[in-house]
Amino acid sequence: MTTTTAAATPVAAPRTGVPDLQVEVLADGLDHVWDMGFLPDGRVLFTERDGGVSLLSSTEPGATVTPVDADFSDVLVNGEGGLMGLVVHADFDRTRRFSTCQTNQVEDTATDIRLVTWELSTDATSATRVANPLLGGLPINPSGRHSGCRTTLAPDGTVYIGTGDTARGAIPQDLNSLGGKVLHIDIETGGPAPDNPFVDDPNPARRLIYTYGHRNVQGVTVQPTTGDVFSAEHGPDTDDEVNRLEPGANYGWDPSQGGTVGGYDEDVPMTDLERFPDAVAAIWSSGSPVEAISGAGFISGPQWGDLDGALAVGALRGQKLLLMRLAADGSVAEVLTPAPLDGEFGRLRGVRLAPDGSLLVSTSNGRDDKILRVTPV
């Protein structure tokens, strides 16, 4: 009797080395693209800071842009403020909901920074508010300065929110204020996530706080393999920071010097370990000059070779993408700056890993802004 053995299906060897990167323009002619969120069908919602949400038809070259009709008349657009962070709810298939973060006004007067929840119509041409606000009362500077407003979905469907200190000295260390913090909330209720470090505090504001002592958080992201949370924030003249967040921890920014000085003293250290010996030091800081780092996201997938697991951080002033390879203990082992994204597209704002494994990066130059698709080649 003769027997035959089926040939085994070849298995591709894992990619090694740092790949070259290809950058393609998915959309252009935009204005300060701040954030992007992915729908289950492969389309992409994105915000523009001057007040608008649009829909990108895919994450492939040739995608088209369609504005979403929604009322953003109460968005205060001034300086660093406007329509900013965006998250697509984990149950979008059922609810068609997404949330945005904005500087808010009533009758031309600045009121607060808030999260608003929307429901996208079935034909995706319009959106209506279903929670206004989902979370309100975040401090605001009428000039828009240090508005923060970066939102990121956690694996369990809750949301992390990076906030700014609104350039007021006492706010970062004040646990009764939501400014200069990373918050962690239930996206359905706007209340605290159940495992928050101060969840049993009698003060409702404190219950929402995940970490404090921040200056102006511009990026928040969750590491897929560990669930650890990382933030990117602006320093003054020195020391932008990337931080690995520990629940309840102080990150040491205190321009009021413990309330001993008035105004906003930016000569203090970003992480003041002398005043706060228990403050958590950054895993990376820019030194001088600052890069004005912004959105952050983890790269994931074997196609990325040695970049699999790297933290990608956009830089506004630096006009580049920083790729940070992390050591096993969460520290930054190496920082790479890929040439195709070093000064070629201007200020880089949003950084999000798409479901197809590509990295989407947005520009924030104020004219002919773009959404870029970055892939390994």
mmCIF file with all atom_site columns, all heavy atoms in Angstrom, residues 39 44-46 51-56 65-72 98 118-121 123-128:
data_model
loop_
_atom_site.group_PDB
_atom_site.id
_atom_site.type_symbol
_atom_site.label_atom_id
_atom_site.label_alt_id
_atom_site.label_comp_id
_atom_site.label_asym_id
_atom_site.label_entity_id
_atom_site.label_seq_id
_atom_site.pdbx_PDB_ins_code
_atom_site.Cartn_x
_atom_site.Cartn_y
_atom_site.Cartn_z
_atom_site.occupancy
_atom_site.B_iso_or_equiv
_atom_site.pdbx_formal_charge
_atom_site.auth_seq_id
_atom_site.auth_comp_id
_atom_site.auth_asym_id
_atom_site.auth_atom_id
_atom_site.pdbx_PDB_model_num
ATOM 1   N N   . LEU A 1 39  ? -14.248 52.910 13.043 1.00 0.00 ? 39  LEU A N   1
ATOM 2   C CA  . LEU A 1 39  ? -15.541 52.236 13.080 1.00 0.00 ? 39  LEU A CA  1
ATOM 3   C C   . LEU A 1 39  ? -15.352 50.760 12.741 1.00 0.00 ? 39  LEU A C   1
ATOM 4   O O   . LEU A 1 39  ? -14.387 50.382 12.071 1.00 0.00 ? 39  LEU A O   1
ATOM 5   C CB  . LEU A 1 39  ? -16.505 52.889 12.089 1.00 0.00 ? 39  LEU A CB  1
ATOM 6   C CG  . LEU A 1 39  ? -16.759 54.388 12.276 1.00 0.00 ? 39  LEU A CG  1
ATOM 7   C CD1 . LEU A 1 39  ? -17.871 54.855 11.326 1.00 0.00 ? 39  LEU A CD1 1
ATOM 8   C CD2 . LEU A 1 39  ? -17.127 54.715 13.713 1.00 0.00 ? 39  LEU A CD2 1
ATOM 9   N N   . VAL A 1 44  ? -13.230 55.705 9.231  1.00 0.00 ? 44  VAL A N   1
ATOM 10  C CA  . VAL A 1 44  ? -12.526 56.448 10.274 1.00 0.00 ? 44  VAL A CA  1
ATOM 11  C C   . VAL A 1 44  ? -13.233 57.777 10.521 1.00 0.00 ? 44  VAL A C   1
ATOM 12  O O   . VAL A 1 44  ? -13.396 58.586 9.597  1.00 0.00 ? 44  VAL A O   1
ATOM 13  C CB  . VAL A 1 44  ? -11.060 56.730 9.871  1.00 0.00 ? 44  VAL A CB  1
ATOM 14  C CG1 . VAL A 1 44  ? -10.306 57.393 11.026 1.00 0.00 ? 44  VAL A CG1 1
ATOM 15  C CG2 . VAL A 1 44  ? -10.354 55.457 9.420  1.00 0.00 ? 44  VAL A CG2 1
ATOM 16  N N   . LEU A 1 45  ? -13.654 58.025 11.746 1.00 0.00 ? 45  LEU A N   1
ATOM 17  C CA  . LEU A 1 45  ? -14.121 59.349 12.139 1.00 0.00 ? 45  LEU A CA  1
ATOM 18  C C   . LEU A 1 45  ? -12.919 60.179 12.572 1.00 0.00 ? 45  LEU A C   1
ATOM 19  O O   . LEU A 1 45  ? -12.006 59.665 13.223 1.00 0.00 ? 45  LEU A O   1
ATOM 20  C CB  . LEU A 1 45  ? -15.107 59.254 13.309 1.00 0.00 ? 45  LEU A CB  1
ATOM 21  C CG  . LEU A 1 45  ? -16.531 58.800 13.004 1.00 0.00 ? 45  LEU A CG  1
ATOM 22  C CD1 . LEU A 1 45  ? -17.285 58.562 14.307 1.00 0.00 ? 45  LEU A CD1 1
ATOM 23  C CD2 . LEU A 1 45  ? -17.269 59.814 12.146 1.00 0.00 ? 45  LEU A CD2 1
ATOM 24  N N   . PHE A 1 46  ? -12.914 61.470 12.226 1.00 0.00 ? 46  PHE A N   1
ATOM 25  C CA  . PHE A 1 46  ? -11.834 62.331 12.714 1.00 0.00 ? 46  PHE A CA  1
ATOM 26  C C   . PHE A 1 46  ? -12.355 63.723 13.007 1.00 0.00 ? 46  PHE A C   1
ATOM 27  O O   . PHE A 1 46  ? -13.369 64.169 12.444 1.00 0.00 ? 46  PHE A O   1
ATOM 28  C CB  . PHE A 1 46  ? -10.656 62.373 11.733 1.00 0.00 ? 46  PHE A CB  1
ATOM 29  C CG  . PHE A 1 46  ? -10.934 63.019 10.398 1.00 0.00 ? 46  PHE A CG  1
ATOM 30  C CD1 . PHE A 1 46  ? -10.754 64.383 10.209 1.00 0.00 ? 46  PHE A CD1 1
ATOM 31  C CD2 . PHE A 1 46  ? -11.349 62.253 9.309  1.00 0.00 ? 46  PHE A CD2 1
ATOM 32  C CE1 . PHE A 1 46  ? -10.985 64.981 8.978  1.00 0.00 ? 46  PHE A CE1 1
ATOM 33  C CE2 . PHE A 1 46  ? -11.581 62.836 8.067  1.00 0.00 ? 46  PHE A CE2 1
ATOM 34  C CZ  . PHE A 1 46  ? -11.395 64.213 7.904  1.00 0.00 ? 46  PHE A CZ  1
ATOM 35  N N   . GLY A 1 51  ? -13.737 72.786 14.618 1.00 0.00 ? 51  GLY A N   1
ATOM 36  C CA  . GLY A 1 51  ? -15.116 72.417 14.902 1.00 0.00 ? 51  GLY A CA  1
ATOM 37  C C   . GLY A 1 51  ? -15.782 71.626 13.807 1.00 0.00 ? 51  GLY A C   1
ATOM 38  O O   . GLY A 1 51  ? -16.605 72.170 13.062 1.00 0.00 ? 51  GLY A O   1
ATOM 39  N N   . GLY A 1 52  ? -15.488 70.358 13.696 1.00 0.00 ? 52  GLY A N   1
ATOM 40  C CA  . GLY A 1 52  ? -16.142 69.508 12.726 1.00 0.00 ? 52  GLY A CA  1
ATOM 41  C C   . GLY A 1 52  ? -15.651 68.079 12.831 1.00 0.00 ? 52  GLY A C   1
ATOM 42  O O   . GLY A 1 52  ? -14.501 67.825 13.166 1.00 0.00 ? 52  GLY A O   1
ATOM 43  N N   . VAL A 1 53  ? -16.570 67.139 12.540 1.00 0.00 ? 53  VAL A N   1
ATOM 44  C CA  . VAL A 1 53  ? -16.250 65.724 12.455 1.00 0.00 ? 53  VAL A CA  1
ATOM 45  C C   . VAL A 1 53  ? -16.511 65.278 11.028 1.00 0.00 ? 53  VAL A C   1
ATOM 46  O O   . VAL A 1 53  ? -17.524 65.646 10.415 1.00 0.00 ? 53  VAL A O   1
ATOM 47  C CB  . VAL A 1 53  ? -17.101 64.893 13.438 1.00 0.00 ? 53  VAL A CB  1
ATOM 48  C CG1 . VAL A 1 53  ? -16.975 63.400 13.159 1.00 0.00 ? 53  VAL A CG1 1
ATOM 49  C CG2 . VAL A 1 53  ? -16.684 65.178 14.870 1.00 0.00 ? 53  VAL A CG2 1
ATOM 50  N N   . SER A 1 54  ? -15.591 64.493 10.475 1.00 0.00 ? 54  SER A N   1
ATOM 51  C CA  . SER A 1 54  ? -15.753 63.954 9.127  1.00 0.00 ? 54  SER A CA  1
ATOM 52  C C   . SER A 1 54  ? -15.482 62.464 9.141  1.00 0.00 ? 54  SER A C   1
ATOM 53  O O   . SER A 1 54  ? -14.931 61.910 10.106 1.00 0.00 ? 54  SER A O   1
ATOM 54  C CB  . SER A 1 54  ? -14.810 64.647 8.141  1.00 0.00 ? 54  SER A CB  1
ATOM 55  O OG  . SER A 1 54  ? -15.116 66.023 8.014  1.00 0.00 ? 54  SER A OG  1
ATOM 56  N N   . LEU A 1 55  ? -15.863 61.817 8.046  1.00 0.00 ? 55  LEU A N   1
ATOM 57  C CA  . LEU A 1 55  ? -15.728 60.374 7.908  1.00 0.00 ? 55  LEU A CA  1
ATOM 58  C C   . LEU A 1 55  ? -14.805 60.073 6.743  1.00 0.00 ? 55  LEU A C   1
ATOM 59  O O   . LEU A 1 55  ? -15.026 60.527 5.610  1.00 0.00 ? 55  LEU A O   1
ATOM 60  C CB  . LEU A 1 55  ? -17.103 59.740 7.674  1.00 0.00 ? 55  LEU A CB  1
ATOM 61  C CG  . LEU A 1 55  ? -17.198 58.222 7.758  1.00 0.00 ? 55  LEU A CG  1
ATOM 62  C CD1 . LEU A 1 55  ? -16.946 57.742 9.178  1.00 0.00 ? 55  LEU A CD1 1
ATOM 63  C CD2 . LEU A 1 55  ? -18.575 57.764 7.286  1.00 0.00 ? 55  LEU A CD2 1
ATOM 64  N N   . LEU A 1 56  ? -13.740 59.319 7.031  1.00 0.00 ? 56  LEU A N   1
ATOM 65  C CA  . LEU A 1 56  ? -12.818 58.835 6.012  1.00 0.00 ? 56  LEU A CA  1
ATOM 66  C C   . LEU A 1 56  ? -13.287 57.441 5.612  1.00 0.00 ? 56  LEU A C   1
ATOM 67  O O   . LEU A 1 56  ? -13.514 56.585 6.470  1.00 0.00 ? 56  LEU A O   1
ATOM 68  C CB  . LEU A 1 56  ? -11.402 58.802 6.580  1.00 0.00 ? 56  LEU A CB  1
ATOM 69  C CG  . LEU A 1 56  ? -10.231 58.497 5.651  1.00 0.00 ? 56  LEU A CG  1
ATOM 70  C CD1 . LEU A 1 56  ? -10.045 59.598 4.619  1.00 0.00 ? 56  LEU A CD1 1
ATOM 71  C CD2 . LEU A 1 56  ? -8.950  58.324 6.463  1.00 0.00 ? 56  LEU A CD2 1
ATOM 72  N N   . VAL A 1 65  ? -13.352 61.668 1.824  1.00 0.00 ? 65  VAL A N   1
ATOM 73  C CA  . VAL A 1 65  ? -13.746 62.347 3.055  1.00 0.00 ? 65  VAL A CA  1
ATOM 74  C C   . VAL A 1 65  ? -15.152 62.894 2.900  1.00 0.00 ? 65  VAL A C   1
ATOM 75  O O   . VAL A 1 65  ? -15.457 63.586 1.906  1.00 0.00 ? 65  VAL A O   1
ATOM 76  C CB  . VAL A 1 65  ? -12.769 63.489 3.401  1.00 0.00 ? 65  VAL A CB  1
ATOM 77  C CG1 . VAL A 1 65  ? -13.280 64.296 4.591  1.00 0.00 ? 65  VAL A CG1 1
ATOM 78  C CG2 . VAL A 1 65  ? -11.381 62.933 3.683  1.00 0.00 ? 65  VAL A CG2 1
ATOM 79  N N   . THR A 1 66  ? -16.015 62.606 3.889  1.00 0.00 ? 66  THR A N   1
ATOM 80  C CA  . THR A 1 66  ? -17.379 63.123 3.895  1.00 0.00 ? 66  THR A CA  1
ATOM 81  C C   . THR A 1 66  ? -17.647 63.806 5.227  1.00 0.00 ? 66  THR A C   1
ATOM 82  O O   . THR A 1 66  ? -17.542 63.167 6.278  1.00 0.00 ? 66  THR A O   1
ATOM 83  C CB  . THR A 1 66  ? -18.400 61.985 3.708  1.00 0.00 ? 66  THR A CB  1
ATOM 84  O OG1 . THR A 1 66  ? -18.105 61.264 2.510  1.00 0.00 ? 66  THR A OG1 1
ATOM 85  C CG2 . THR A 1 66  ? -19.820 62.538 3.641  1.00 0.00 ? 66  THR A CG2 1
ATOM 86  N N   . PRO A 1 67  ? -17.989 65.108 5.217  1.00 0.00 ? 67  PRO A N   1
ATOM 87  C CA  . PRO A 1 67  ? -18.324 65.778 6.481  1.00 0.00 ? 67  PRO A CA  1
ATOM 88  C C   . PRO A 1 67  ? -19.569 65.158 7.120  1.00 0.00 ? 67  PRO A C   1
ATOM 89  O O   . PRO A 1 67  ? -20.490 64.729 6.426  1.00 0.00 ? 67  PRO A O   1
ATOM 90  C CB  . PRO A 1 67  ? -18.575 67.232 6.071  1.00 0.00 ? 67  PRO A CB  1
ATOM 91  C CG  . PRO A 1 67  ? -17.902 67.381 4.740  1.00 0.00 ? 67  PRO A CG  1
ATOM 92  C CD  . PRO A 1 67  ? -18.006 66.035 4.074  1.00 0.00 ? 67  PRO A CD  1
ATOM 93  N N   . VAL A 1 68  ? -19.577 65.110 8.455  1.00 0.00 ? 68  VAL A N   1
ATOM 94  C CA  . VAL A 1 68  ? -20.736 64.656 9.216  1.00 0.00 ? 68  VAL A CA  1
ATOM 95  C C   . VAL A 1 68  ? -21.477 65.886 9.718  1.00 0.00 ? 68  VAL A C   1
ATOM 96  O O   . VAL A 1 68  ? -20.891 66.760 10.362 1.00 0.00 ? 68  VAL A O   1
ATOM 97  C CB  . VAL A 1 68  ? -20.299 63.762 10.396 1.00 0.00 ? 68  VAL A CB  1
ATOM 98  C CG1 . VAL A 1 68  ? -21.497 63.406 11.270 1.00 0.00 ? 68  VAL A CG1 1
ATOM 99  C CG2 . VAL A 1 68  ? -19.610 62.504 9.882  1.00 0.00 ? 68  VAL A CG2 1
ATOM 100 N N   . ASP A 1 69  ? -22.751 65.976 9.405  1.00 0.00 ? 69  ASP A N   1
ATOM 101 C CA  . ASP A 1 69  ? -23.560 67.132 9.806  1.00 0.00 ? 69  ASP A CA  1
ATOM 102 C C   . ASP A 1 69  ? -23.887 67.028 11.302 1.00 0.00 ? 69  ASP A C   1
ATOM 103 O O   . ASP A 1 69  ? -24.580 66.101 11.735 1.00 0.00 ? 69  ASP A O   1
ATOM 104 C CB  . ASP A 1 69  ? -24.846 67.156 8.979  1.00 0.00 ? 69  ASP A CB  1
ATOM 105 C CG  . ASP A 1 69  ? -25.708 68.369 9.299  1.00 0.00 ? 69  ASP A CG  1
ATOM 106 O OD1 . ASP A 1 69  ? -25.157 69.373 9.798  1.00 0.00 ? 69  ASP A OD1 1
ATOM 107 O OD2 . ASP A 1 69  ? -26.933 68.310 9.061  1.00 0.00 ? 69  ASP A OD2 1
ATOM 108 N N   . ALA A 1 70  ? -23.365 67.961 12.088 1.00 0.00 ? 70  ALA A N   1
ATOM 109 C CA  . ALA A 1 70  ? -23.596 67.970 13.533 1.00 0.00 ? 70  ALA A CA  1
ATOM 110 C C   . ALA A 1 70  ? -23.425 69.397 14.031 1.00 0.00 ? 70  ALA A C   1
ATOM 111 O O   . ALA A 1 70  ? -22.722 70.203 13.416 1.00 0.00 ? 70  ALA A O   1
ATOM 112 C CB  . ALA A 1 70  ? -22.631 67.033 14.246 1.00 0.00 ? 70  ALA A CB  1
ATOM 113 N N   . ASP A 1 71  ? -24.060 69.711 15.143 1.00 0.00 ? 71  ASP A N   1
ATOM 114 C CA  . ASP A 1 71  ? -24.049 71.076 15.683 1.00 0.00 ? 71  ASP A CA  1
ATOM 115 C C   . ASP A 1 71  ? -22.856 71.273 16.610 1.00 0.00 ? 71  ASP A C   1
ATOM 116 O O   . ASP A 1 71  ? -22.857 70.800 17.749 1.00 0.00 ? 71  ASP A O   1
ATOM 117 C CB  . ASP A 1 71  ? -25.352 71.336 16.437 1.00 0.00 ? 71  ASP A CB  1
ATOM 118 C CG  . ASP A 1 71  ? -25.422 72.758 17.006 1.00 0.00 ? 71  ASP A CG  1
ATOM 119 O OD1 . ASP A 1 71  ? -24.529 73.576 16.681 1.00 0.00 ? 71  ASP A OD1 1
ATOM 120 O OD2 . ASP A 1 71  ? -26.361 73.031 17.772 1.00 0.00 ? 71  ASP A OD2 1
ATOM 121 N N   . PHE A 1 72  ? -21.849 71.972 16.119 1.00 0.00 ? 72  PHE A N   1
ATOM 122 C CA  . PHE A 1 72  ? -20.671 72.301 16.921 1.00 0.00 ? 72  PHE A CA  1
ATOM 123 C C   . PHE A 1 72  ? -20.594 73.806 17.202 1.00 0.00 ? 72  PHE A C   1
ATOM 124 O O   . PHE A 1 72  ? -19.514 74.343 17.414 1.00 0.00 ? 72  PHE A O   1
ATOM 125 C CB  . PHE A 1 72  ? -19.404 71.827 16.215 1.00 0.00 ? 72  PHE A CB  1
ATOM 126 C CG  . PHE A 1 72  ? -19.282 70.330 16.128 1.00 0.00 ? 72  PHE A CG  1
ATOM 127 C CD1 . PHE A 1 72  ? -19.509 69.665 14.940 1.00 0.00 ? 72  PHE A CD1 1
ATOM 128 C CD2 . PHE A 1 72  ? -18.965 69.587 17.253 1.00 0.00 ? 72  PHE A CD2 1
ATOM 129 C CE1 . PHE A 1 72  ? -19.401 68.288 14.860 1.00 0.00 ? 72  PHE A CE1 1
ATOM 130 C CE2 . PHE A 1 72  ? -18.863 68.209 17.190 1.00 0.00 ? 72  PHE A CE2 1
ATOM 131 C CZ  . PHE A 1 72  ? -19.082 67.550 15.984 1.00 0.00 ? 72  PHE A CZ  1
ATOM 132 N N   . PHE A 1 98  ? -20.227 57.745 19.671 1.00 0.00 ? 98  PHE A N   1
ATOM 133 C CA  . PHE A 1 98  ? -18.849 58.176 19.833 1.00 0.00 ? 98  PHE A CA  1
ATOM 134 C C   . PHE A 1 98  ? -18.861 59.423 20.709 1.00 0.00 ? 98  PHE A C   1
ATOM 135 O O   . PHE A 1 98  ? -19.903 60.072 20.868 1.00 0.00 ? 98  PHE A O   1
ATOM 136 C CB  . PHE A 1 98  ? -18.174 58.446 18.479 1.00 0.00 ? 98  PHE A CB  1
ATOM 137 C CG  . PHE A 1 98  ? -18.763 59.590 17.683 1.00 0.00 ? 98  PHE A CG  1
ATOM 138 C CD1 . PHE A 1 98  ? -18.205 60.866 17.738 1.00 0.00 ? 98  PHE A CD1 1
ATOM 139 C CD2 . PHE A 1 98  ? -19.867 59.392 16.857 1.00 0.00 ? 98  PHE A CD2 1
ATOM 140 C CE1 . PHE A 1 98  ? -18.738 61.920 17.009 1.00 0.00 ? 98  PHE A CE1 1
ATOM 141 C CE2 . PHE A 1 98  ? -20.410 60.451 16.122 1.00 0.00 ? 98  PHE A CE2 1
ATOM 142 C CZ  . PHE A 1 98  ? -19.840 61.712 16.191 1.00 0.00 ? 98  PHE A CZ  1
ATOM 143 N N   . TRP A 1 118 ? -22.223 61.454 21.100 1.00 0.00 ? 118 TRP A N   1
ATOM 144 C CA  . TRP A 1 118 ? -23.014 61.589 19.878 1.00 0.00 ? 118 TRP A CA  1
ATOM 145 C C   . TRP A 1 118 ? -23.490 60.223 19.400 1.00 0.00 ? 118 TRP A C   1
ATOM 146 O O   . TRP A 1 118 ? -22.856 59.214 19.688 1.00 0.00 ? 118 TRP A O   1
ATOM 147 C CB  . TRP A 1 118 ? -22.174 62.216 18.771 1.00 0.00 ? 118 TRP A CB  1
ATOM 148 C CG  . TRP A 1 118 ? -21.539 63.524 19.112 1.00 0.00 ? 118 TRP A CG  1
ATOM 149 C CD1 . TRP A 1 118 ? -20.384 63.724 19.825 1.00 0.00 ? 118 TRP A CD1 1
ATOM 150 C CD2 . TRP A 1 118 ? -22.019 64.817 18.764 1.00 0.00 ? 118 TRP A CD2 1
ATOM 151 N NE1 . TRP A 1 118 ? -20.123 65.070 19.926 1.00 0.00 ? 118 TRP A NE1 1
ATOM 152 C CE2 . TRP A 1 118 ? -21.100 65.768 19.281 1.00 0.00 ? 118 TRP A CE2 1
ATOM 153 C CE3 . TRP A 1 118 ? -23.123 65.275 18.046 1.00 0.00 ? 118 TRP A CE3 1
ATOM 154 C CZ2 . TRP A 1 118 ? -21.260 67.142 19.111 1.00 0.00 ? 118 TRP A CZ2 1
ATOM 155 C CZ3 . TRP A 1 118 ? -23.286 66.634 17.867 1.00 0.00 ? 118 TRP A CZ3 1
ATOM 156 C CH2 . TRP A 1 118 ? -22.369 67.564 18.405 1.00 0.00 ? 118 TRP A CH2 1
ATOM 157 N N   . GLU A 1 119 ? -24.580 60.252 18.637 1.00 0.00 ? 119 GLU A N   1
ATOM 158 C CA  . GLU A 1 119 ? -25.039 59.056 17.932 1.00 0.00 ? 119 GLU A CA  1
ATOM 159 C C   . GLU A 1 119 ? -24.988 59.328 16.434 1.00 0.00 ? 119 GLU A C   1
ATOM 160 O O   . GLU A 1 119 ? -25.599 60.277 15.949 1.00 0.00 ? 119 GLU A O   1
ATOM 161 C CB  . GLU A 1 119 ? -26.455 58.679 18.358 1.00 0.00 ? 119 GLU A CB  1
ATOM 162 C CG  . GLU A 1 119 ? -26.946 57.377 17.733 1.00 0.00 ? 119 GLU A CG  1
ATOM 163 C CD  . GLU A 1 119 ? -28.299 56.961 18.274 1.00 0.00 ? 119 GLU A CD  1
ATOM 164 O OE1 . GLU A 1 119 ? -28.461 56.957 19.510 1.00 0.00 ? 119 GLU A OE1 1
ATOM 165 O OE2 . GLU A 1 119 ? -29.187 56.649 17.455 1.00 0.00 ? 119 GLU A OE2 1
ATOM 166 N N   . LEU A 1 120 ? -24.228 58.500 15.728 1.00 0.00 ? 120 LEU A N   1
ATOM 167 C CA  . LEU A 1 120 ? -24.093 58.652 14.280 1.00 0.00 ? 120 LEU A CA  1
ATOM 168 C C   . LEU A 1 120 ? -25.297 58.036 13.589 1.00 0.00 ? 120 LEU A C   1
ATOM 169 O O   . LEU A 1 120 ? -25.720 56.921 13.920 1.00 0.00 ? 120 LEU A O   1
ATOM 170 C CB  . LEU A 1 120 ? -22.806 57.959 13.822 1.00 0.00 ? 120 LEU A CB  1
ATOM 171 C CG  . LEU A 1 120 ? -22.379 58.165 12.369 1.00 0.00 ? 120 LEU A CG  1
ATOM 172 C CD1 . LEU A 1 120 ? -21.974 59.617 12.124 1.00 0.00 ? 120 LEU A CD1 1
ATOM 173 C CD2 . LEU A 1 120 ? -21.228 57.220 12.013 1.00 0.00 ? 120 LEU A CD2 1
ATOM 174 N N   . SER A 1 121 ? -25.861 58.758 12.633 1.00 0.00 ? 121 SER A N   1
ATOM 175 C CA  . SER A 1 121 ? -27.030 58.255 11.904 1.00 0.00 ? 121 SER A CA  1
ATOM 176 C C   . SER A 1 121 ? -26.666 56.976 11.148 1.00 0.00 ? 121 SER A C   1
ATOM 177 O O   . SER A 1 121 ? -25.493 56.694 10.880 1.00 0.00 ? 121 SER A O   1
ATOM 178 C CB  . SER A 1 121 ? -27.533 59.314 10.920 1.00 0.00 ? 121 SER A CB  1
ATOM 179 O OG  . SER A 1 121 ? -26.545 59.589 9.937  1.00 0.00 ? 121 SER A OG  1
ATOM 180 N N   . ASP A 1 123 ? -26.994 56.223 8.125  1.00 0.00 ? 123 ASP A N   1
ATOM 181 C CA  . ASP A 1 123 ? -26.315 56.466 6.851  1.00 0.00 ? 123 ASP A CA  1
ATOM 182 C C   . ASP A 1 123 ? -25.006 57.234 7.027  1.00 0.00 ? 123 ASP A C   1
ATOM 183 O O   . ASP A 1 123 ? -24.353 57.594 6.037  1.00 0.00 ? 123 ASP A O   1
ATOM 184 C CB  . ASP A 1 123 ? -27.234 57.199 5.868  1.00 0.00 ? 123 ASP A CB  1
ATOM 185 C CG  . ASP A 1 123 ? -27.649 58.587 6.362  1.00 0.00 ? 123 ASP A CG  1
ATOM 186 O OD1 . ASP A 1 123 ? -27.176 59.027 7.442  1.00 0.00 ? 123 ASP A OD1 1
ATOM 187 O OD2 . ASP A 1 123 ? -28.449 59.242 5.665  1.00 0.00 ? 123 ASP A OD2 1
ATOM 188 N N   . ALA A 1 124 ? -24.635 57.511 8.288  1.00 0.00 ? 124 ALA A N   1
ATOM 189 C CA  . ALA A 1 124 ? -23.358 58.145 8.642  1.00 0.00 ? 124 ALA A CA  1
ATOM 190 C C   . ALA A 1 124 ? -23.212 59.554 8.079  1.00 0.00 ? 124 ALA A C   1
ATOM 191 O O   . ALA A 1 124 ? -22.097 60.063 7.973  1.00 0.00 ? 124 ALA A O   1
ATOM 192 C CB  . ALA A 1 124 ? -22.179 57.277 8.192  1.00 0.00 ? 124 ALA A CB  1
ATOM 193 N N   . THR A 1 125 ? -24.316 60.220 7.794  1.00 0.00 ? 125 THR A N   1
ATOM 194 C CA  . THR A 1 125 ? -24.225 61.585 7.270  1.00 0.00 ? 125 THR A CA  1
ATOM 195 C C   . THR A 1 125 ? -24.422 62.648 8.339  1.00 0.00 ? 125 THR A C   1
ATOM 196 O O   . THR A 1 125 ? -24.101 63.818 8.114  1.00 0.00 ? 125 THR A O   1
ATOM 197 C CB  . THR A 1 125 ? -25.276 61.815 6.173  1.00 0.00 ? 125 THR A CB  1
ATOM 198 O OG1 . THR A 1 125 ? -26.589 61.644 6.733  1.00 0.00 ? 125 THR A OG1 1
ATOM 199 C CG2 . THR A 1 125 ? -25.077 60.854 5.013  1.00 0.00 ? 125 THR A CG2 1
ATOM 200 N N   . SER A 1 126 ? -24.944 62.262 9.516  1.00 0.00 ? 126 SER A N   1
ATOM 201 C CA  . SER A 1 126 ? -25.197 63.241 10.572 1.00 0.00 ? 126 SER A CA  1
ATOM 202 C C   . SER A 1 126 ? -25.016 62.587 11.933 1.00 0.00 ? 126 SER A C   1
ATOM 203 O O   . SER A 1 126 ? -24.957 61.365 12.061 1.00 0.00 ? 126 SER A O   1
ATOM 204 C CB  . SER A 1 126 ? -26.618 63.812 10.449 1.00 0.00 ? 126 SER A CB  1
ATOM 205 O OG  . SER A 1 126 ? -27.591 62.792 10.624 1.00 0.00 ? 126 SER A OG  1
ATOM 206 N N   . ALA A 1 127 ? -24.917 63.446 12.956 1.00 0.00 ? 127 ALA A N   1
ATOM 207 C CA  . ALA A 1 127 ? -24.786 62.964 14.329 1.00 0.00 ? 127 ALA A CA  1
ATOM 208 C C   . ALA A 1 127 ? -25.585 63.868 15.249 1.00 0.00 ? 127 ALA A C   1
ATOM 209 O O   . ALA A 1 127 ? -25.628 65.094 15.062 1.00 0.00 ? 127 ALA A O   1
ATOM 210 C CB  . ALA A 1 127 ? -23.323 62.932 14.758 1.00 0.00 ? 127 ALA A CB  1
ATOM 211 N N   . THR A 1 128 ? -26.222 63.266 16.249 1.00 0.00 ? 128 THR A N   1
ATOM 212 C CA  . THR A 1 128 ? -27.002 64.015 17.230 1.00 0.00 ? 128 THR A CA  1
ATOM 213 C C   . THR A 1 128 ? -26.453 63.742 18.624 1.00 0.00 ? 128 THR A C   1
ATOM 214 O O   . THR A 1 128 ? -25.933 62.654 18.906 1.00 0.00 ? 128 THR A O   1
ATOM 215 C CB  . THR A 1 128 ? -28.481 63.610 17.188 1.00 0.00 ? 128 THR A CB  1
ATOM 216 O OG1 . THR A 1 128 ? -28.588 62.194 17.339 1.00 0.00 ? 128 THR A OG1 1
ATOM 217 C CG2 . THR A 1 128 ? -29.104 64.010 15.857 1.00 0.00 ? 128 THR A CG2 1
#
